[in-house]
Amino acid sequence: MAWCSLRSIHIPTIDVGVLHTRSPLAAAGGVVVGSSFWRSSSRNGSPFACLSLSTSTGIKEAVATDKAPAALGPYSQANKANNLLFVSGVLGLIPQTEKFISDSVEDQTEHVLKNMGEILKASGVDYCSMVKTTIILADLKDFRKVNEIYAK
């Protein structure tokens, strides 16, 4: 079971007369759904940078490939939103049988990375584009083995 907590944030008062609003600013749970940077000038000519966020569903695209296991629930293997890609939890399953490759943590780690690579490829990116990865282990004793394989 996963839990998400939302917290309100305080944004300091700014002179809105210098802004050209593109869309409302919204933040939730630390996840940016879509973003774009733009610049405008203040009255004294110094540049002002602004981050605008969008929750428009028109810019969200589900990613699916049969070269990786299908999502186990009502979600996609990955979602593209603006220039960001969010890959769902990936397991060491064989796509055709949806069975684990083996009971070995080494085999499962290798297969997780292979499956994730196929999802990335279907999305038009590769491992070099990754910014953050979260690995969940059933047993912390496997950390060294998994980390060695991940480092490759």
Side-chain angles (χ1 to χ4, degrees):
M1 180 178 293
W3 292 86
C4 179
S5 173
L6 301 179
R7 181 178 175 182
S8 63
I9 59 173
H10 171 72
I11 300 174
T13 306
I14 58 173
D15 179 7
V16 293
V18 299
L19 300 177
H20 299 108
T21 305
R22 285 210 169 169
S23 64
L25 179 65
V31 176
V32 176
V33 176
S35 65
S36 63
F37 286 94
W38 58 279
R39 297 172 71 102
S40 70
S41 296
S42 65
R43 284 180 272 226
N44 64 7
S46 63
F48 176 83
C50 179
L51 170 66
S52 68
L53 302 174
S54 171
T55 56
S56 168
T57 57
I59 57 173
K60 187 172 101 174
E61 173 188 345
V63 175
T65 178
D66 58 357
K67 294 181 180 179
L72 299 176
Y75 52 88
S76 304
Q77 291 170 323
N79 279 306
K80 285 183 184 181
N82 281 346
N83 62 340
L84 301 174
L85 177 69
F86 298 90
V87 178
S88 300
V90 180
L91 299 172
L93 302 175
I94 301 168
Q96 298 78 10
T97 64
E98 296 191 3
K99 304 267 188 225
F100 280 101
I101 188 82
S102 78
D103 289 334
S104 159
V105 70
E106 294 92 348
D107 291 344
Q108 287 186 25
T109 302
E110 293 277 356
H111 212 68
V112 163
L113 293 170
K114 179 181 181 241
N115 289 338
M116 191 172 6
E118 293 296 337
I119 295 169
L120 294 172
K121 189 186 308 180
S123 304
V125 296
D126 60 21
Y127 286 109
C128 295
S129 303
M130 299 220 16
V131 174
K132 180 186 183 301
T133 304
T134 302
I135 299 172
I136 300 172
L137 299 173
D139 189 345
L140 195 55
K141 293 176 189 170
D142 295 327
F143 175 79
R144 184 171 298 196
K145 297 175 203 172
V146 170
N147 203 38
E148 287 173 3
I149 295 167
Y150 180 73
K152 294 177 190 177

